[in-house]
Amino acid sequence: MKSAKNSKWKELMIYKGVRGKVTHVIGIIALVFLCLVFALPLYWMVCTALKYEVYCFTTPPQWFPNPIKWDNFLEIFQRMDLAKYIRNTLVTSLVPVVGTLLSCPMVAYSLTKIPWKGGKYLFPIILMTMMIPAQVTQIPMYATWSKLNMLNTFVPLVLPSFFGSTYYIYLFRQFMKSLPTSVMEAARIDGAGDFRILYNIVYPMCSSILTTVAVMVFIGGWNDYVGPLMYLQDSERYTLGIGLQMFKTAAQPEWTLLMAASTIFTLPLIVIFFFCQNAFLNGIQTTSGIK
Amino acid sequence: MKKNAATKAKAVRKSRQERKFFWKGMLFASPWLIGFVCFTILPVCLAFYYSFTDYNLFNDPAWVGFKNYKELFQDQYVWLSLGNTMYIVILAPLIGMVVSLALAMLLNQKNVPGLPFFRTVFYLPSLVPVVASVMLLTWLLNGHYGLVNQILGFFGIEGPAWLTDPRYTKISLMIMDAWRCGGTMIIYLAALRSVPASLYEAAELDGATGWKKFFRITIPYISPTIEFNLIMSMIGSFQYFTQGMLLTGVSGNQVAGGPSNSLLFYCLYLYQNAFSFFKMGYACAMAVVLFIIIMIATMLARKISDRMVNYDVE
């Protein structure tokens, strides 16, 4: 009897949508709470960066920097060679963008739009190389670059991108496969060579994937830690990541300055994110195989 | 006779065309072909060769047979670092999946006000460079003045010494990695959106409620995505390095692994062998073993998941 009443009550709730509303409200509350949790570390980074050192070590913590010390952002440029680090990081992240955008579409074009047998055999090999962990090739590469006297230069970090990287070739291939060949055929009949077709027809058609890959390569270079760690020993050549780490180990950690430097390190990526949100979201989704 | 000649001419034309396309294909694929030989094939072969030698970068490699491999199995640090790595390999993918899937589910509710805002907030941490996030982590988890322990203290909980107590160091790192799960979250969000609403409607008519719908429809439908992410994250965890390196720092010619070597990950020990102790041959042997471990683990994972993943959806 009771259960019948109960189920009727339940039915009524579903009918009125009460249940749905309650879960909805709980869901939104959870969302807001988690949002605060996720945002808090970022806020704390900026907040610490704007404080005077003494106010970092108070209990309870000082939630709003007061007084605000903008000078931390100037001081950090004097205390370490931040400008030089930024320049070096730009070199190691922008040059690979150029390299990748030149080489990978070319290889993908060969795999998808030129009717030759290699395309069939090359692609599985390309995929297989993705399985090899970087640690295996690292040491022989290091030994070779050191024999070529290329240590302490940017060459080992940027040159390989001009020879294509498997991952981005894969992305371009997936994208180019779906491009219509009719336009290219027409151009070929009109006497255009393959390079002409690639640069004048295929590139414009690929603009969205080009942006995506450019953004991904840039971020990869900007964040790279292992490469610069191995190859750049001279402080003249340090990138942001290495410089920051050295600054931390050099002295007692000065949190306000470290957080200011971290903010500067992160900021460009966030700016890029806001300008090319779609490129980001597309990139993540194409890489996972979901269209 | 005439017909024969025509087909012959045709065949010649065809083979000429084929040859033309072959060279053209080679030309356009050449960047990768060169790169493949120089940056993959040769280094891999060299790594295999070095792994059978004593090599310190300054002298020529000297052949020692299986000595490095034998030594490797008796090296306590190898086992220790492998244990630390396995800890991450088993837990990190699961934690990452739970957190990112939960976030994606919350974002996928009907009528979320300000969805792009929430999505952005959850995604932003994954943009913070690893070095900067480890800095931030060290500061937030500072035993006395770190924000986390201050907040815990406010609720009357005495927080642990996150980064100096060996029981908590790896957990701290995994918390940080969970915080940076934005990319995976976006993937799950896209997968969740691809589940057809008609399936849910049909289930509702049959009286299915929230959890049942989640386990019977959502999870099976997105299982290929879950598999992909778990395996990628597992492979990544085997190569766990940067975070450990940043927290332990390099120290001359001693093994540096953080508090009680709790952060000595396999790749970190490999790196120290190569670049602190200059035992390049030994490090190469470690790399080869890592390669084999990753291959076996990936195959096992695929075999296990093949039984659980539902590939019928398309």
Side-chain angles (χ1 to χ4, degrees):
Chain A
M1 185 66 193
K2 203 186 168 195
S3 79
K5 200 179 165 191
N6 205 353
S7 78
K8 204 167 184 190
W9 173 235
K10 222 173 178 177
E11 222 165 75
L12 198 73
M13 282 209 350
I14 290 169
Y15 175 68
K16 294 255 185 193
V18 175
R19 225 188 119 97
K21 251 177 210 152
V22 171
T23 34
H24 189 233
V25 169
I26 292 174
I28 300 292
I29 290 172
L31 203 57
V32 172
F33 174 73
L34 284 172
C35 182
L36 287 176
V37 171
F38 271 69
L40 191 61
L42 283 179
Y43 171 73
W44 202 241
M45 179 165 86
V46 180
C47 183
T48 310
L50 293 173
K51 277 182 192 172
Y52 280 88
E53 181 107 28
V54 277
Y55 293 111
C56 287
F57 302 104
T58 55
T59 315
Q62 190 192 37
W63 285 99
F64 302 100
N66 180 34
I68 293 182
K69 191 186 173 197
W70 294 102
D71 284 355
N72 281 338
F73 284 95
L74 292 179
E75 204 180 325
I76 195 77
F77 276 90
Q78 289 149 9
R79 291 286 301 281
M80 57 194 222
D81 260 337
L82 202 61
K84 200 174 277 160
Y85 299 160
I86 291 176
R87 205 201 59 207
N88 291 342
T89 314
L90 279 175
V91 172
T92 58
S93 44
L94 282 177
V95 179
V97 172
V98 177
T100 308
L101 292 192
L102 281 178
S103 60
C104 292
M106 207 164 133
V107 179
Y109 179 81
S110 159
L111 291 178
T112 54
K113 299 296 173 202
I114 295 177
W116 67 305
K117 283 200 185 108
K120 244 189 305 178
Y121 301 111
L122 279 188
F123 188 57
I125 301 176
I126 292 186
L127 285 187
M128 256 156 58
T129 58
M130 278 160 71
M131 294 269 297
I132 301 168
Q135 284 78 12
V136 176
T137 50
Q138 245 166 28
I139 293 163
M141 291 296 287
Y142 182 86
T144 313
W145 287 122
S146 102
K147 275 196 195 109
L148 295 171
N149 264 332
M150 289 288 187
L151 295 188
N152 246 332
T153 66
F154 297 122
V155 177
L157 299 177
V158 302
L159 190 73
S161 72
F162 285 88
F163 296 94
S165 55
T166 48
Y167 190 53
Y168 300 117
I169 293 174
Y170 170 73
L171 286 190
F172 276 112
R173 180 201 177 256
Q174 297 306 82
F175 190 86
M176 277 190 200
K177 225 172 41 175
S178 60
L179 290 182
T181 36
S182 54
V183 193
M184 293 165 217
E185 294 293 323
R188 196 165 286 144
I189 289 166
D190 286 346
D194 279 286
F195 278 105
R196 207 63 195 271
I197 295 175
L198 176 61
Y199 292 115
N200 291 351
I201 297 173
V202 179
Y203 265 78
M205 283 169 134
C206 288
S207 59
S208 69
I209 188 89
L210 283 168
T211 337
T212 301
V213 170
V215 166
M216 287 168 74
V217 176
F218 180 82
I219 291 182
W222 189 266
N223 286 346
D224 189 17
Y225 175 73
V226 183
L229 178 73
M230 281 171 57
Y231 291 111
L232 310 173
Q233 285 112 2
D234 183 3
S235 64
E236 282 290 298
R237 296 268 186 277
Y238 281 171
T239 57
L240 270 172
I242 306 293
L244 210 60
Q245 173 69 3
M246 290 301 165
F247 182 73
K248 192 195 161 205
T249 43
Q252 194 71 11
E254 294 170 76
W255 291 111
T256 53
L257 297 183
L258 273 173
M259 290 299 115
S262 297
T263 309
I264 291 175
F265 196 5
T266 311
L267 202 63
L269 300 182
I270 291 183
V271 170
I272 293 174
F273 173 73
F274 279 107
F275 277 105
C276 338
Q277 268 199 50
N278 282 329
F280 270 83
L281 301 182
N282 283 340
I284 296 166
Q285 284 160 22
T286 36
T287 51
S288 68
I290 302 167
K291 273 145 252 159
Chain B
M1 188 72 183
K2 212 175 176 186
K3 201 177 163 195
N4 205 351
T7 44
K8 213 173 178 182
K10 216 173 178 179
V12 167
R13 214 181 313 139
K14 203 178 161 219
S15 78
R16 193 179 296 155
Q17 179 114 28
E18 242 172 43
R19 218 175 310 144
K20 205 182 90 189
F21 277 131
F22 175 78
W23 287 116
K24 220 178 247 174
M26 287 292 272
L27 174 69
F28 276 77
S30 60
W32 180 76
L33 288 170
I34 297 169
F36 179 60
V37 172
C38 294
F39 302 123
T40 308
I41 289 283
L42 284 178
V44 168
C45 295
L46 275 176
F48 269 96
Y49 167 62
Y50 288 158
S51 74
F52 292 103
T53 63
D54 260 338
Y55 182 40
N56 63 2
L57 203 62
F58 311 111
N59 300 330
D60 281 336
W63 185 267
V64 292
F66 279 95
K67 186 186 139 231
N68 287 329
Y69 289 95
K70 268 183 220 150
E71 210 176 298
L72 200 149
F73 282 102
Q74 285 151 8
D75 187 342
Q76 50 155 336
Y77 287 119
V78 166
W79 292 104
L80 181 79
S81 62
L82 203 56
N84 284 334
T85 309
M86 286 314 285
Y87 190 97
I88 299 278
V89 166
I90 290 167
L91 285 179
L94 290 178
I95 295 175
M97 184 195 83
V98 170
V99 173
S100 45
L101 190 56
L103 293 180
M105 296 279 297
L106 285 174
L107 287 177
N108 197 37
Q109 298 173 95
K110 279 172 213 145
N111 313 319
V112 175
L115 174 89
F117 171 77
F118 285 116
R119 195 180 54 194
T120 308
V121 170
F122 291 140
Y123 185 70
L124 282 185
S126 67
L127 286 173
V128 180
V130 190
V131 180
S133 16
V134 171
M135 298 283 162
L136 184 55
L137 179 89
T138 325
W139 172 223
L140 283 168
L141 295 182
N142 184 301
H144 291 293
Y145 303 105
L147 187 63
V148 173
N149 277 0
Q150 297 241 28
I151 291 176
L152 287 178
F154 179 77
F155 291 107
I157 307 165
E158 199 183 326
W162 295 97
L163 294 171
T164 45
D165 186 337
R167 281 174 301 170
Y168 289 97
T169 42
K170 286 189 280 283
I171 298 174
S172 308
L173 284 182
M174 283 191 284
I175 292 175
M176 185 190 81
D177 290 335
W179 178 62
R180 307 174 76 238
C181 72
T184 331
M185 179 202 72
I186 303 277
I187 296 175
Y188 280 127
L189 189 57
L192 288 175
R193 291 217 171 122
S194 72
V195 185
S198 59
L199 285 182
Y200 290 125
E201 281 156 19
E204 267 160 40
L205 283 180
D206 289 342
T209 49
W211 286 112
K212 213 163 206 171
K213 277 192 282 182
F214 177 69
F215 283 112
R216 294 288 165 79
I217 299 172
T218 315
I219 292 286
Y221 203 91
I222 65 170
S223 54
T225 312
I226 295 179
E227 184 206 15
F228 173 84
N229 279 314
L230 281 182
I231 290 184
M232 292 313 272
S233 158
M234 184 193 75
I235 295 175
S237 303
F238 271 115
Q239 304 179 35
Y240 213 78
F241 170 78
T242 310
Q243 288 90 330
M245 180 75 196
L246 285 167
L247 283 180
T248 55
V250 208
S251 76
N253 44 16
Q254 270 177 356
V255 175
S260 310
N261 282 332
S262 60
L263 291 176
L264 186 70
F265 298 110
Y266 190 84
C267 289
L268 187 60
Y269 186 48
L270 192 160
Y271 182 89
Q272 290 177 3
N273 266 308
F275 297 105
S276 303
F277 320 143
F278 293 105
K279 287 159 75 180
M280 296 279 175
Y282 192 63
C284 280
M286 281 186 78
V288 170
V289 170
L290 178 74
F291 187 17
I292 295 168
I293 293 177
I294 290 182
M295 281 229 291
I296 293 174
T298 312
M299 274 192 295
L300 272 181
R302 295 217 56 166
K303 203 148 231 174
I304 295 168
S305 61
D306 269 352
R307 255 179 271 150
M308 287 148 69
V309 172
N310 172 21
Y311 290 108
D312 295 339
V313 292
E314 201 39 71

